[in-house]
Amino acid sequence: MSTPSAALPIAPARSRRPSRLSAGRIGVYAFLLSAAAFFLLPLYVMLVTSVKPMDEIRLGNLFAPPAHWTIQPWIAAWSEACTGLECRGIQVGFWNSVKIVLPSTAISIFFGALNGYALSFWRARGANLLFGVLMIGAFVPYQVVMFPLVRAWAEIGIFSSLPGIVLIHTIFGMPVMTLLFRNYYASVPGELFKAARIDGGGFFRIFFQLMLPMATPIIIVAVIMQVTAIWNDFILGLVFAGRENLPMTVQLNNVINTTTGERLYNVNMAATVLTSLVPLAIYLISGRWFVRGIAAGAVKG
Amino acid sequence: MPAVPAHRPSAEVGIHQLEIRLGGVAIIAGMDLQVQAGEFLVLLGPSGCGKSTLLHSIAGLLDVHQGRIEIGGRDVTWADPKDRSIGMVFQSYALYPTMTVERNMSFGLRVNGVPKAEIEKRVARAAEILHLQELLSRKPSQLSGGQRQRVAIGRALVRDVGVFLFDEPLSNLDAKLRAELRRELKQLHRNLGTTMVYVTHDQVEAMTLATRIAVMNKGRIQQIGAPGEIYNRPANVFVAGFLGSPSMNFVEGTLQVSGDAVSFRRAGLAVDVSGYAFAQVPRQGQPALLGARPEDIALHLDQAAAGDGRAAVALVEPMGAQTIVWMDLQGQQLSALLSGHAEPAAGQEVAFRIASDKVSLFDVATQERL
């Protein structure tokens, strides 16, 4: 080794860890904290209000913590709140939403995966055109096709029914689901598919036994996207589900708009939090999976 | 490895006037090729020469534009891959990532509804041949590269087919594993006697494995024959230059004919090629390309020694058992492969002699063997 020249700055024997709190860092934290407070404040107000009795709410101290805790508004929201003349609570909407979300998610993911698989590996004539049309479909606003769809659904007799709303969600989920799976399968080596073809696998055999199990990470992503989107949907549920199957979001709106005498803020707040619980839980539980699924582009065999 | 009798007789492969187009461009045109039953045919060529395309069309993974493909005497030009009695091994192994080794190997059998007992028997047999018994319950991600490729070979093996197709199966492995698996493949072929068609760009694999080598370039078979024949009597300059490492020396010059004696001459070099088996009688003064393999050039370090010519040593590459000596013959680079330890020094002038019975002569214009 040559001797270090004196002109070069000599590194200290032990480099010190840079000090943790510089001015820039304080600024960043200040910004992050205020941003967090900004977004969490409404949630705080909702939660606090939902556990206060009405007497306390009337005082108008929006941010004050409850003096007397009560769980009564939550029970009322779940099983007693009125929508119009019916007073069975938001639970009716909850179960309706479950009945809509489960089949819609399953069916749209199944067909999205099937489309993505077929477009990636079988390269049928006109596959690119079909994919292009599907992508255009993703950008068409609901409102444009709403009325024709209502007429068509009425014509085939599934308007205002559970199958009707499930079919609507499946159709509107198709472009994004197809894109998701097509891109995932594009990263799968083509030789894998060829090997399966030589082994004698047909279209559905390769799909069910090879490609679908391989796509687990992306299926999780798709479940998260579809459950959240369909659960949060309002306009499609309002128009297509029919009175018997109104989803939770529509029911929540009805609960809040139905006033018999005094406006029950605590019940409304509890109902709102209840409605948002499912997407919230999905994000909290599966956030890790979501990132992992998105990142799992390259599969090594 | 235990000797295992093949259940199904190995099949021959016939290719007749084959034309394959990809994106409107003819990759292969007017190709004829006959692979004998039980033969190990290696398709050798640089990347993009159409060797993989040819293999994939035999497998039925690519549509044929024109011509006919026969396997075992049956026209399979439009048959589904699974109906061709072929097993294929890919460069990327292409193992099913969600299945265990056992399920990977039995997938094809399960698809075809083979009875369970028979499946177990065949998987056990393949596992034994390829030493995979302990790995049967593992997933592909838990295997090393060599093990993965063994499983891929096993997957082709259990299907009991007439022809095995290999698409650069060893290219993803490191040098040591490659040599190991290469030997195992050769042993496997000896034991099974099944027809094998093997694509590679590696000349060592081709030389060691093949019964016959088909050297391909630009969608055409340049020469087909036993490894020794391809190496010693290359049909044209491309084949001569593609095989061998370091590659063959090419020297441009003219042929001098006087009576029965023929010699190759250029500035600083004269080689007597009277014993050369000319395809046609050489003309006096005919321009020619002399090809000499590095191992066929002998050096004499002694200053006064006579030879076919003298050249200055430019560079010496010792490789242990052998030494490559790069020389400069009046602007023309020559390489010689020496065994032993007599190493000349760079800058030294040496006499060299070319083994005239081993040289190849090519036509300068057509690049074909004279």
Short mmCIF file of all heavy atoms in Angstrom, two decimals, chain A residues 11 50 81 110 115 147 158 181:
data_model
loop_
_atom_site.label_atom_id
_atom_site.label_comp_id
_atom_site.label_asym_id
_atom_site.label_seq_id
_atom_site.Cartn_x
_atom_site.Cartn_y
_atom_site.Cartn_z
N ALA A 11 -9.67 10.32 6.80
CA ALA A 11 -10.90 9.96 7.49
C ALA A 11 -10.61 9.65 8.94
O ALA A 11 -9.57 9.08 9.24
CB ALA A 11 -11.53 8.75 6.83
N SER A 50 -69.27 9.46 18.41
CA SER A 50 -70.09 8.26 18.40
C SER A 50 -70.22 7.62 19.78
O SER A 50 -71.08 6.78 19.98
CB SER A 50 -69.51 7.23 17.42
OG SER A 50 -68.32 6.68 17.93
N ALA A 81 -81.32 1.81 13.78
CA ALA A 81 -81.43 3.04 13.01
C ALA A 81 -82.47 2.89 11.90
O ALA A 81 -82.67 1.80 11.37
CB ALA A 81 -80.08 3.41 12.41
N PHE A 110 -61.97 -14.22 -11.18
CA PHE A 110 -61.86 -15.45 -11.96
C PHE A 110 -61.76 -15.11 -13.46
O PHE A 110 -60.86 -15.57 -14.16
CB PHE A 110 -63.05 -16.36 -11.71
CG PHE A 110 -63.06 -17.57 -12.59
CD1 PHE A 110 -62.24 -18.65 -12.31
CD2 PHE A 110 -63.87 -17.62 -13.73
CE1 PHE A 110 -62.22 -19.76 -13.13
CE2 PHE A 110 -63.85 -18.73 -14.56
CZ PHE A 110 -63.03 -19.81 -14.26
N ASN A 115 -58.98 -14.12 -18.56
CA ASN A 115 -58.68 -13.22 -19.68
C ASN A 115 -57.18 -12.97 -19.79
O ASN A 115 -56.60 -13.06 -20.87
CB ASN A 115 -59.36 -11.86 -19.48
CG ASN A 115 -60.81 -11.89 -19.91
OD1 ASN A 115 -61.24 -12.85 -20.55
ND2 ASN A 115 -61.54 -10.87 -19.55
N PHE A 147 -77.73 4.69 -18.32
CA PHE A 147 -79.11 4.54 -18.78
C PHE A 147 -79.28 3.37 -19.76
O PHE A 147 -80.20 2.55 -19.56
CB PHE A 147 -79.62 5.85 -19.42
CG PHE A 147 -81.07 5.78 -19.77
CD1 PHE A 147 -82.02 5.63 -18.76
CD2 PHE A 147 -81.48 5.80 -21.09
CE1 PHE A 147 -83.36 5.53 -19.08
CE2 PHE A 147 -82.82 5.70 -21.41
CZ PHE A 147 -83.76 5.57 -20.41
N ILE A 158 -83.10 -8.67 -15.10
CA ILE A 158 -82.27 -8.77 -13.90
C ILE A 158 -82.04 -7.40 -13.27
O ILE A 158 -81.23 -7.26 -12.37
CB ILE A 158 -80.89 -9.42 -14.21
CG1 ILE A 158 -80.19 -8.70 -15.35
CG2 ILE A 158 -81.04 -10.90 -14.53
CD1 ILE A 158 -78.76 -9.13 -15.55
N PHE A 181 -53.84 -9.17 -14.37
CA PHE A 181 -53.39 -10.55 -14.58
C PHE A 181 -52.57 -10.69 -15.85
O PHE A 181 -51.64 -11.48 -15.92
CB PHE A 181 -54.59 -11.51 -14.59
CG PHE A 181 -55.07 -11.84 -13.21
CD1 PHE A 181 -56.09 -11.11 -12.62
CD2 PHE A 181 -54.46 -12.86 -12.49
CE1 PHE A 181 -56.51 -11.41 -11.33
CE2 PHE A 181 -54.89 -13.16 -11.20
CZ PHE A 181 -55.92 -12.43 -10.62
#
